[in-house]
Structure formats: structure tokens, C-alpha cells
Amino acid sequence: MPTSTTDVTTAAAADDPATGLRAIRALRELADRLEARQVANARSRGWSWQQIAEALGVTRQAAHKKHARSRKDD
Amino acid sequence: MFERFTDEARQVVVRAQEEARHLRADQIEPVHLLLAIAGGDGRGGDTLRAAGIDHGRLRSTVASSTDELDAEALAAFGVDLEQVRAAAEATFGPGALDPPGTSGHLRFADGSKRSLEQALRHVLARRGLARRSRAIDSGCVLVGVLAVEDPVVVRVLRELGADPAALRDEAGHAA
């Protein structure tokens, strides 16, 4: 597995699916966790689901479904 | 359905939640049931130990295979996980990159619900036995966990050199 940043392009466009897919999964997991924090922060500052959805580029229903479950506020 | 569970099997269910929380999972997965079985002194734990699987080895294998964020794969993209973590924690406090919803009551994942159903089915399929012996012990829960062929369970067992199908036969027959 590549471990140094010089391997950026090899991972992003890795020929070996195992390497490429593992890298994608890691990025997605990281993005999901950061998204959860950011959405919680936005909600606590009074953002509506509509505003959050627009910022994320998804539908209001999608944003609500993904995040409301783990939140008390809705 | 828990009225059929022996005390020892109920303890497995309780400990599965603790295992899930310890590993910062957001649901109780079949692998957490497996860990709870391995940590007990009932028939299920005995079957696992006989196959060379003890709780300590199992837990470290699970921790390394389901663990956290994949720093190595992220580094390949030029993403330094520790930098991201430091930035996130500076804003949101310690544990900012932990999975959401890890506090409070954890729910059973579908695979775990199916495992418990399979444990019940396994016991009910034993015809001819006295009603009293048709209780669900940790061995039956082990059969249930192995019956659903959860990919994480299968992988960690193989990593520890065990054959999930053989284990399932072992636990099923030993009763």
C-alpha cells in the first residue's frame, strides 16, 4: 500500500482496484464524519434543513433523512 | 424472544453492547455478539476457545480490521489524517472525528437481529428434546451469529485461522 504523499496520483487513479477502492472508501468515511459535525453545527446555529441541503448540494429530504436521525432537534 | 435465553446468553447480549461501545461502533453488529460470546465462560466461549479463538486475540483483530479511519489510504491521496483531526478537534473538541451517535443506547444492526432469530430457529429445530432443554444459551447464539455469514465475522475468524462453517457445526452439534 502506498504510504507517502508522492503516491497521490497512483492512489487516485490506481490500477489495482483494491488500492483505488480502499482509498475512495477512506475518503468517503472521512467526509461522512466531517459532514455529521458540520451539519450538527449548522443546526445548532439555527440553519434550516433547506439551507443545509442547498449548501451540500443535495435535496432537503436527503439531508434530513441522513442527519435528523442522530439529532434530537427534529 | 429473550424469555428463552439463559442468563448466560442474556449476558452475551448485554456485553455485545459494551463491546460495540468500546469499539466506537454506532450499532451492535454480529461481530460484537461474537466478541461477547468469546468473553464469556459459557458453551459458546468454550467452542471458540477450543478453536483457538480467545477474547483478547479476537478483540485486537476486530479493532484493527474495522477500526477507525484508514490513515494509510488517506495518505495516498495526500490527506494527512492527523492534520485533519487536529483541525476538526480545534473547532469541535476532542473526538470530533468519532462516528456520530456513539453515546446513548445502541441499536442492533439487522445482521445482529437476524443472528438472534437464527439462534431461536436453531433451538426450535431441535425436535424431540424436552422443552426445558430448548433454551437459548451462548452456544446457540454462536450458531446464530455464524448462520448469517456476516462478512466482518467471517473475515476476522479466517484471520485467526478458524473455519466459520466448521465452527458452526461444532457449536450446533455440541448441544
PDB file of all heavy atoms in Angstrom, chain B residues 44-67:
ATOM      1  N   GLY B  44     -20.694 -21.224  24.237  1.00  0.00           N
ATOM      2  CA  GLY B  44     -20.225 -20.519  23.047  1.00  0.00           C
ATOM      3  C   GLY B  44     -18.755 -20.133  23.160  1.00  0.00           C
ATOM      4  O   GLY B  44     -17.966 -20.344  22.241  1.00  0.00           O
ATOM      5  N   GLY B  45     -18.390 -19.578  24.319  1.00  0.00           N
ATOM      6  CA  GLY B  45     -16.998 -19.195  24.548  1.00  0.00           C
ATOM      7  C   GLY B  45     -16.077 -20.400  24.530  1.00  0.00           C
ATOM      8  O   GLY B  45     -14.983 -20.351  23.977  1.00  0.00           O
ATOM      9  N   ASP B  46     -16.567 -21.506  25.106  1.00  0.00           N
ATOM     10  CA  ASP B  46     -15.766 -22.741  25.117  1.00  0.00           C
ATOM     11  C   ASP B  46     -15.491 -23.229  23.696  1.00  0.00           C
ATOM     12  O   ASP B  46     -14.381 -23.649  23.379  1.00  0.00           O
ATOM     13  CB  ASP B  46     -16.513 -23.851  25.885  1.00  0.00           C
ATOM     14  CG  ASP B  46     -16.539 -23.572  27.384  1.00  0.00           C
ATOM     15  OD1 ASP B  46     -15.750 -22.711  27.833  1.00  0.00           O
ATOM     16  OD2 ASP B  46     -17.353 -24.208  28.082  1.00  0.00           O
ATOM     17  N   THR B  47     -16.535 -23.175  22.863  1.00  0.00           N
ATOM     18  CA  THR B  47     -16.375 -23.629  21.476  1.00  0.00           C
ATOM     19  C   THR B  47     -15.333 -22.775  20.747  1.00  0.00           C
ATOM     20  O   THR B  47     -14.484 -23.294  20.016  1.00  0.00           O
ATOM     21  CB  THR B  47     -17.722 -23.540  20.724  1.00  0.00           C
ATOM     22  OG1 THR B  47     -18.702 -24.272  21.458  1.00  0.00           O
ATOM     23  CG2 THR B  47     -17.610 -24.093  19.312  1.00  0.00           C
ATOM     24  N   LEU B  48     -15.401 -21.467  20.979  1.00  0.00           N
ATOM     25  CA  LEU B  48     -14.436 -20.570  20.326  1.00  0.00           C
ATOM     26  C   LEU B  48     -13.018 -20.837  20.840  1.00  0.00           C
ATOM     27  O   LEU B  48     -12.067 -20.911  20.048  1.00  0.00           O
ATOM     28  CB  LEU B  48     -14.825 -19.106  20.560  1.00  0.00           C
ATOM     29  CG  LEU B  48     -16.071 -18.630  19.802  1.00  0.00           C
ATOM     30  CD1 LEU B  48     -16.485 -17.237  20.261  1.00  0.00           C
ATOM     31  CD2 LEU B  48     -15.810 -18.620  18.296  1.00  0.00           C
ATOM     32  N   ARG B  49     -12.895 -20.980  22.147  1.00  0.00           N
ATOM     33  CA  ARG B  49     -11.553 -21.219  22.716  1.00  0.00           C
ATOM     34  C   ARG B  49     -10.969 -22.539  22.226  1.00  0.00           C
ATOM     35  O   ARG B  49      -9.781 -22.634  21.950  1.00  0.00           O
ATOM     36  CB  ARG B  49     -11.605 -21.166  24.244  1.00  0.00           C
ATOM     37  CG  ARG B  49     -11.629 -19.734  24.790  1.00  0.00           C
ATOM     38  CD  ARG B  49     -11.590 -19.698  26.307  1.00  0.00           C
ATOM     39  NE  ARG B  49     -12.841 -20.159  26.897  1.00  0.00           N
ATOM     40  CZ  ARG B  49     -13.922 -19.383  27.062  1.00  0.00           C
ATOM     41  NH1 ARG B  49     -13.893 -18.115  26.706  1.00  0.00           N
ATOM     42  NH2 ARG B  49     -15.025 -19.872  27.597  1.00  0.00           N
ATOM     43  N   ALA B  50     -11.830 -23.535  22.069  1.00  0.00           N
ATOM     44  CA  ALA B  50     -11.357 -24.831  21.565  1.00  0.00           C
ATOM     45  C   ALA B  50     -10.810 -24.691  20.146  1.00  0.00           C
ATOM     46  O   ALA B  50      -9.937 -25.452  19.717  1.00  0.00           O
ATOM     47  CB  ALA B  50     -12.489 -25.847  21.601  1.00  0.00           C
ATOM     48  N   ALA B  51     -11.318 -23.698  19.416  1.00  0.00           N
ATOM     49  CA  ALA B  51     -10.837 -23.456  18.055  1.00  0.00           C
ATOM     50  C   ALA B  51      -9.674 -22.462  18.045  1.00  0.00           C
ATOM     51  O   ALA B  51      -9.251 -21.990  16.986  1.00  0.00           O
ATOM     52  CB  ALA B  51     -11.987 -22.943  17.188  1.00  0.00           C
ATOM     53  N   GLY B  52      -9.180 -22.125  19.223  1.00  0.00           N
ATOM     54  CA  GLY B  52      -8.012 -21.251  19.315  1.00  0.00           C
ATOM     55  C   GLY B  52      -8.337 -19.767  19.287  1.00  0.00           C
ATOM     56  O   GLY B  52      -7.474 -18.928  19.049  1.00  0.00           O
ATOM     57  N   ILE B  53      -9.626 -19.451  19.520  1.00  0.00           N
ATOM     58  CA  ILE B  53     -10.019 -18.039  19.468  1.00  0.00           C
ATOM     59  C   ILE B  53     -10.348 -17.544  20.868  1.00  0.00           C
ATOM     60  O   ILE B  53     -11.363 -17.923  21.445  1.00  0.00           O
ATOM     61  CB  ILE B  53     -11.242 -17.871  18.556  1.00  0.00           C
ATOM     62  CG1 ILE B  53     -10.838 -18.233  17.135  1.00  0.00           C
ATOM     63  CG2 ILE B  53     -11.760 -16.443  18.598  1.00  0.00           C
ATOM     64  CD1 ILE B  53     -12.003 -18.500  16.251  1.00  0.00           C
ATOM     65  N   ASP B  54      -9.462 -16.733  21.426  1.00  0.00           N
ATOM     66  CA  ASP B  54      -9.774 -16.176  22.738  1.00  0.00           C
ATOM     67  C   ASP B  54     -10.160 -14.707  22.569  1.00  0.00           C
ATOM     68  O   ASP B  54      -9.938 -14.100  21.531  1.00  0.00           O
ATOM     69  CB  ASP B  54      -8.610 -16.358  23.719  1.00  0.00           C
ATOM     70  CG  ASP B  54      -7.399 -15.551  23.316  1.00  0.00           C
ATOM     71  OD1 ASP B  54      -7.483 -14.308  23.313  1.00  0.00           O
ATOM     72  OD2 ASP B  54      -6.363 -16.153  22.983  1.00  0.00           O
ATOM     73  N   HIS B  55     -10.744 -14.183  23.614  1.00  0.00           N
ATOM     74  CA  HIS B  55     -11.315 -12.837  23.545  1.00  0.00           C
ATOM     75  C   HIS B  55     -10.280 -11.771  23.186  1.00  0.00           C
ATOM     76  O   HIS B  55     -10.529 -10.909  22.352  1.00  0.00           O
ATOM     77  CB  HIS B  55     -11.984 -12.514  24.887  1.00  0.00           C
ATOM     78  CG  HIS B  55     -12.670 -11.195  24.901  1.00  0.00           C
ATOM     79  ND1 HIS B  55     -12.174 -10.115  25.584  1.00  0.00           N
ATOM     80  CD2 HIS B  55     -13.796 -10.776  24.293  1.00  0.00           C
ATOM     81  CE1 HIS B  55     -12.980  -9.086  25.403  1.00  0.00           C
ATOM     82  NE2 HIS B  55     -13.977  -9.459  24.623  1.00  0.00           N
ATOM     83  N   GLY B  56      -9.099 -11.869  23.800  1.00  0.00           N
ATOM     84  CA  GLY B  56      -8.068 -10.863  23.560  1.00  0.00           C
ATOM     85  C   GLY B  56      -7.615 -10.801  22.108  1.00  0.00           C
ATOM     86  O   GLY B  56      -7.551  -9.732  21.504  1.00  0.00           O
ATOM     87  N   ARG B  57      -7.341 -11.976  21.551  1.00  0.00           N
ATOM     88  CA  ARG B  57      -6.895 -12.019  20.144  1.00  0.00           C
ATOM     89  C   ARG B  57      -8.003 -11.525  19.230  1.00  0.00           C
ATOM     90  O   ARG B  57      -7.771 -10.812  18.253  1.00  0.00           O
ATOM     91  CB  ARG B  57      -6.538 -13.456  19.746  1.00  0.00           C
ATOM     92  CG  ARG B  57      -5.210 -13.931  20.269  1.00  0.00           C
ATOM     93  CD  ARG B  57      -4.958 -15.358  19.807  1.00  0.00           C
ATOM     94  NE  ARG B  57      -4.662 -15.449  18.381  1.00  0.00           N
ATOM     95  CZ  ARG B  57      -4.924 -16.495  17.616  1.00  0.00           C
ATOM     96  NH1 ARG B  57      -5.543 -17.554  18.120  1.00  0.00           N
ATOM     97  NH2 ARG B  57      -4.595 -16.504  16.350  1.00  0.00           N
ATOM     98  N   LEU B  58      -9.223 -11.956  19.557  1.00  0.00           N
ATOM     99  CA  LEU B  58     -10.358 -11.578  18.715  1.00  0.00           C
ATOM    100  C   LEU B  58     -10.547 -10.066  18.726  1.00  0.00           C
ATOM    101  O   LEU B  58     -10.716  -9.431  17.686  1.00  0.00           O
ATOM    102  CB  LEU B  58     -11.617 -12.282  19.227  1.00  0.00           C
ATOM    103  CG  LEU B  58     -12.880 -12.153  18.382  1.00  0.00           C
ATOM    104  CD1 LEU B  58     -12.655 -12.692  16.981  1.00  0.00           C
ATOM    105  CD2 LEU B  58     -14.041 -12.893  19.048  1.00  0.00           C
ATOM    106  N   ARG B  59     -10.457  -9.492  19.920  1.00  0.00           N
ATOM    107  CA  ARG B  59     -10.692  -8.058  20.007  1.00  0.00           C
ATOM    108  C   ARG B  59      -9.638  -7.267  19.254  1.00  0.00           C
ATOM    109  O   ARG B  59      -9.945  -6.299  18.568  1.00  0.00           O
ATOM    110  CB  ARG B  59     -10.749  -7.602  21.457  1.00  0.00           C
ATOM    111  CG  ARG B  59     -11.222  -6.162  21.561  1.00  0.00           C
ATOM    112  CD  ARG B  59     -11.153  -5.677  22.965  1.00  0.00           C
ATOM    113  NE  ARG B  59     -12.471  -5.570  23.563  1.00  0.00           N
ATOM    114  CZ  ARG B  59     -12.655  -5.225  24.832  1.00  0.00           C
ATOM    115  NH1 ARG B  59     -11.639  -4.986  25.601  1.00  0.00           N
ATOM    116  NH2 ARG B  59     -13.869  -5.114  25.307  1.00  0.00           N
ATOM    117  N   SER B  60      -8.374  -7.692  19.357  1.00  0.00           N
ATOM    118  CA  SER B  60      -7.362  -6.912  18.635  1.00  0.00           C
ATOM    119  C   SER B  60      -7.506  -7.085  17.128  1.00  0.00           C
ATOM    120  O   SER B  60      -7.264  -6.145  16.370  1.00  0.00           O
ATOM    121  CB  SER B  60      -5.945  -7.228  19.126  1.00  0.00           C
ATOM    122  OG  SER B  60      -5.720  -8.602  19.121  1.00  0.00           O
ATOM    123  N   THR B  61      -7.939  -8.266  16.693  1.00  0.00           N
ATOM    124  CA  THR B  61      -8.152  -8.464  15.258  1.00  0.00           C
ATOM    125  C   THR B  61      -9.324  -7.606  14.763  1.00  0.00           C
ATOM    126  O   THR B  61      -9.245  -6.973  13.716  1.00  0.00           O
ATOM    127  CB  THR B  61      -8.454  -9.954  14.951  1.00  0.00           C
ATOM    128  OG1 THR B  61      -7.416 -10.746  15.494  1.00  0.00           O
ATOM    129  CG2 THR B  61      -8.554 -10.199  13.453  1.00  0.00           C
ATOM    130  N   VAL B  62     -10.389  -7.592  15.546  1.00  0.00           N
ATOM    131  CA  VAL B  62     -11.554  -6.789  15.160  1.00  0.00           C
ATOM    132  C   VAL B  62     -11.190  -5.318  15.141  1.00  0.00           C
ATOM    133  O   VAL B  62     -11.523  -4.582  14.204  1.00  0.00           O
ATOM    134  CB  VAL B  62     -12.734  -7.028  16.132  1.00  0.00           C
ATOM    135  CG1 VAL B  62     -13.876  -6.061  15.841  1.00  0.00           C
ATOM    136  CG2 VAL B  62     -13.222  -8.463  16.030  1.00  0.00           C
ATOM    137  N   ALA B  63     -10.465  -4.878  16.175  1.00  0.00           N
ATOM    138  CA  ALA B  63     -10.112  -3.459  16.258  1.00  0.00           C
ATOM    139  C   ALA B  63      -9.293  -3.038  15.056  1.00  0.00           C
ATOM    140  O   ALA B  63      -9.506  -1.966  14.491  1.00  0.00           O
ATOM    141  CB  ALA B  63      -9.356  -3.182  17.554  1.00  0.00           C
ATOM    142  N   SER B  64      -8.383  -3.901  14.621  1.00  0.00           N
ATOM    143  CA  SER B  64      -7.531  -3.477  13.509  1.00  0.00           C
ATOM    144  C   SER B  64      -8.245  -3.612  12.169  1.00  0.00           C
ATOM    145  O   SER B  64      -7.879  -2.949  11.202  1.00  0.00           O
ATOM    146  CB  SER B  64      -6.225  -4.260  13.494  1.00  0.00           C
ATOM    147  OG  SER B  64      -6.486  -5.620  13.258  1.00  0.00           O
ATOM    148  N   SER B  65      -9.293  -4.444  12.088  1.00  0.00           N
ATOM    149  CA  SER B  65      -9.909  -4.601  10.773  1.00  0.00           C
ATOM    150  C   SER B  65     -11.147  -3.731  10.580  1.00  0.00           C
ATOM    151  O   SER B  65     -11.538  -3.443   9.460  1.00  0.00           O
ATOM    152  CB  SER B  65     -10.237  -6.071  10.492  1.00  0.00           C
ATOM    153  OG  SER B  65     -11.477  -6.414  11.021  1.00  0.00           O
ATOM    154  N   THR B  66     -11.807  -3.313  11.679  1.00  0.00           N
ATOM    155  CA  THR B  66     -12.974  -2.449  11.490  1.00  0.00           C
ATOM    156  C   THR B  66     -12.632  -1.041  11.934  1.00  0.00           C
ATOM    157  O   THR B  66     -13.435  -0.149  11.907  1.00  0.00           O
ATOM    158  CB  THR B  66     -14.156  -2.924  12.353  1.00  0.00           C
ATOM    159  OG1 THR B  66     -13.760  -2.920  13.717  1.00  0.00           O
ATOM    160  CG2 THR B  66     -14.612  -4.292  11.943  1.00  0.00           C
ATOM    161  N   ASP B  67     -11.398  -0.897  12.345  1.00  0.00           N
ATOM    162  CA  ASP B  67     -11.010   0.297  13.051  1.00  0.00           C
ATOM    163  C   ASP B  67     -11.137   1.564  12.242  1.00  0.00           C
ATOM    164  O   ASP B  67     -10.747   1.634  11.096  1.00  0.00           O
ATOM    165  CB  ASP B  67      -9.552   0.136  13.487  1.00  0.00           C
ATOM    166  CG  ASP B  67      -9.150   1.187  14.482  1.00  0.00           C
ATOM    167  OD1 ASP B  67     -10.037   1.770  15.110  1.00  0.00           O
ATOM    168  OD2 ASP B  67      -7.955   1.439  14.607  1.00  0.00           O
TER     169      ASP B  67
END
